[in-house]
Amino acid sequence: MRLADTRPPFAGLANLSWEALASLPTPCYLLDEGQLCRNGELLLGVQQRTGCKILLAQKAFSNFNVYPVLAPYLAGTEASGLYESRLGREELPEKENHVFCAAYRTDEFEELLQYADHIVFNSPSQLAKFGPAAKAAGKSIGLRINPECSTQEGHEIYDPCAPGSRLGTTRAQWDAAVAAHPELPALLDGLHFHTLCEQDADALAVTLAAVEKKFADLLPRMQWLNFGGGHHITRPGYALATLENCILSVRQKYGVQGYLETGEAW
């Protein structure tokens, strides 16, 4: 279920006069630092209560000028490719650096190894091609899975679990790949799923049940599980208790470190 944000636009600028606004050079972006900090406190609270780690999804928000404002509330950054990973390493060098890409380029992968510490692959073939080099470089290796569970409403064209989607690996695809290449499981440290888009925690609960149904036997061997993005955590009315129960349940059952990738939540 998607909830409407009823807050008025630019509510955070209530104390900024028209004179001050008129003096700004245009075009420009106005960011409410106070609201960023309030959102950060909420996200930090989730981490403190559950033990999960929250990453900044740079594909959704990469205004690095405010990274120092966000840094106290973040465990690290999530990148969708080489240059976002480099940005995270340069601007937040003390933080974790995660990257997922549907297909990595051979001519860029060696440089990517200089920046990222967690690398997630989209398919068994990508894992087989680049995983050994990443493992040899000391990286934590993950595979994006497709739980084949759709919770989208109104924009199915963007649904990673839609029929025919090539985002993530289904259980059937994984089993076939392992049968052909028995060495693949030894490369994995974690699993990653990303199926939500600006949704509430009820959709996460449904998705997580599907993940466990399909992949529960793999989880005890993993060090971490990345819940992806699309969690609209800071939206009024968001079911924080449901989110936290999901995170704690997985941690208690399987002993894995949980990750979330927030973008629009900022």
Side-chain angles (χ1 to χ4, degrees), residues 129-140:
K129 182 175 182 178
F130 295 106
K135 201 73 172 179
K139 309 305 178 181
S140 188

Side-chain angles (χ1 to χ4, degrees), residues 237-265:
Y238 181 88
L240 270 179
T242 301
L243 169 69
E244 294 179 3
N245 286 338
C246 288
I247 298 168
L248 290 169
S249 173
V250 168
R251 183 179 181 182
Q252 291 163 0
K253 286 181 185 177
Y254 308 110
V256 293
Q257 172 66 58
Y259 284 96
L260 299 175
E261 305 167 2
T262 56
E264 71 273 6

Side-chain angles (χ1 to χ4, degrees), residues 185-215:
L187 292 172
L188 286 183
D189 300 300
L191 298 177
H192 172 283
F193 65 91
H194 185 146
T195 67
L196 308 183
C197 180
E198 297 184 356
Q199 288 172 272
D200 209 329
D202 56 346
L204 172 62
V206 171
T207 300
L208 188 56
V211 168
E212 291 191 85
K213 181 179 179 180
K214 299 273 188 178
F215 297 95

Side-chain angles (χ1 to χ4, degrees), residues 107-182:
D107 61 336
E108 293 182 348
F109 199 75
E110 185 175 349
E111 183 180 356
L112 180 65
L113 293 177
Q114 300 175 33
Y115 311 131
D117 44 57
H118 289 67
I119 301 177
V120 176
F121 297 98
N122 187 59
S123 64
S125 61
Q126 284 273 296
L127 175 64
K129 182 175 182 178
F130 295 106
K135 201 73 172 179
K139 309 305 178 181
S140 188
I141 306 304
L143 178 73
R144 179 168 175 170
I145 57 175
N146 180 346
E148 301 175 87
C149 175
S150 297
T151 59
Q152 303 288 351
E153 296 178 7
H155 46 87
E156 289 80 2
I157 191 173
Y158 305 114
D159 183 0
C161 292
S165 171
R166 296 173 68 184
L167 288 172
T169 299
T170 66
R171 185 56 198 254
Q173 290 168 337
W174 176 246
D175 289 344
V178 171
H181 302 281

